[in-house]
Amino acid sequence: MDKGFEISVVIPNYNNARYLAQCIESVSLQTYPISRIIVVDDCSTDDSISVLNELMGRYNNLRLIHLETNGKVSHARNIGLNHVETPYVTFMDSDDVYINPRKIENEMGLIKRIKETKKTDIVAYSRIDLISEQGTSLGNYCFRRRYYLEGKIFSDVLTRKHAFTIMRDYCLPTEVIRSVGGYNEANSLYEDLELILKLAKRIEFAYTGELGTGYRQVQTGLSSRPQQEHIDKLNEIFETNVEGLSPVKKCWYRIIRQIHMKENALIILSRRARNKLYKVVRGK
């Protein structure tokens, strides 16, 4: 294994004892060697610590960091990042799983090819599948490749282009995420979007075209928050990122954002219509 391409996985955890074994096992089954699995327990009140202690007896690359006070997910991720000693890092949530055993291999392979041919680093990501609390697939979440953002993506992310293709659990250089300050610890809603925007100012993104993570849909997750809270936070992130621009450029970004949001809605509606028609044709 080339030490220049070693990677660690950082997993924040809060009261996800029932999912931890499946999560850690999915990491251990990756075909790409994982140097260190760093689980940051954010002062859980369930059986997480006992589960993790048992798992450490099975996986010698698993390290547990137990926080004394609850600081929420962004803080836990940053604590984990502080303990990373490898050139590359990726993050995943403790209730999610890698459903493709080649997920890390695909992303690190893409990173390595770009590094060797173009002499530059990238962020590499794969598509997700939505899974239930029980771990079963909720349906095909695969959109056409053209809907996955690649290259210099800052403007597209800011204006919500193809916002339904979620970038999660990507592999990236440790130095790059540290250079942008990691996660915003004052925020626990769309903190991933904030980080992607910071990263996109510094580095290009690339999509593997392959399946990667099973993103578990739980009742206490992002979708459980009030709709207006989502709208307010997305508007806040947008305004923060256009602050300091000329009035003309701000106006341009606002117009493009509205266009992209309408495009997204049409793509989702047409996809749903095709799926319903497909079921009718097959008699389901």
Side-chain angles (χ1 to χ4, degrees), residues 8-217:
S8 297
V9 180
V10 174
I11 305 173
N13 174 69
Y14 178 69
N15 287 348
N16 276 325
R18 59 177 171 160
Y19 303 125
L20 279 168
Q22 186 182 10
C23 174
I24 301 300
E25 182 183 25
S26 75
V27 178
S28 72
L29 291 174
Q30 287 293 293
T31 56
Y32 193 91
I34 308 298
S35 296
R36 184 65 61 86
I37 306 170
I38 302 171
V39 179
V40 183
D41 185 77
D42 200 14
C43 202
S44 293
T45 57
D46 64 358
D47 293 329
S48 289
I49 298 301
S50 61
V51 171
L52 287 165
N53 284 332
E54 190 274 330
L55 290 170
M56 282 194 292
R58 292 160 50 189
Y59 306 108
N60 57 17
N61 62 341
L62 176 59
R63 178 178 181 183
L64 169 61
I65 300 171
H66 184 203
L67 302 183
E68 299 275 333
T69 56
N70 182 274
K72 299 194 182 298
V73 66
S74 294
H75 175 69
R77 286 173 179 150
N78 284 341
I79 293 294
L81 178 61
N82 290 341
H83 287 81
V84 171
E85 298 177 350
T86 52
Y88 291 86
V89 63
T90 186
F91 298 79
M92 72 181 298
D93 291 344
S94 58
D95 56 350
D96 293 339
V97 293
Y98 290 152
I99 51 180
N100 184 351
R102 297 173 63 91
K103 188 262 187 194
I104 301 293
E105 181 182 345
N106 290 335
E107 292 173 18
M108 290 305 299
L110 184 54
I111 286 173
K112 190 173 183 179
R113 287 196 299 274
I114 297 296
K115 184 85 168 179
E116 290 174 346
T117 57
K118 298 185 178 181
K119 310 302 180 186
T120 188
D121 260 314
I122 59 164
V123 176
Y125 74 103
S126 304
R127 75 174 187 269
I128 68 166
D129 189 20
L130 302 181
I131 61 175
S132 69
E133 291 191 54
Q134 294 72 37
T136 58
S137 175
L138 294 176
N140 185 2
Y141 198 73
C142 178
F143 288 84
R144 294 179 182 178
R145 182 165 187 134
R146 70 170 181 264
Y147 294 136
Y148 291 85
L149 302 178
E150 295 191 90
K152 297 178 180 179
I153 66 170
F154 174 79
S155 294
D156 286 341
V157 174
L158 182 62
T159 57
R160 308 290 289 155
K161 184 175 183 179
H162 304 159
F164 46 81
T165 54
I166 304 170
M167 278 175 265
R168 289 180 61 89
D169 309 332
Y170 37 79
C171 293
L172 78 163
T174 306
E175 175 274 328
V176 172
I177 186 172
R178 284 176 175 160
S179 71
V180 301
Y183 289 86
N184 177 8
E185 296 188 12
N187 185 20
S188 60
L189 181 63
Y190 292 108
E191 72 281 353
D192 288 315
L193 175 61
E194 276 193 290
L195 178 61
I196 288 169
L197 286 166
K198 290 194 294 184
L199 291 170
K201 293 176 182 178
R202 286 257 348 243
I203 191 169
E204 293 189 10
F205 282 62
Y207 170 56
T208 66
E210 302 290 341
L211 182 62
T213 302
Y215 179 29
R216 200 180 304 268
Q217 303 295 282

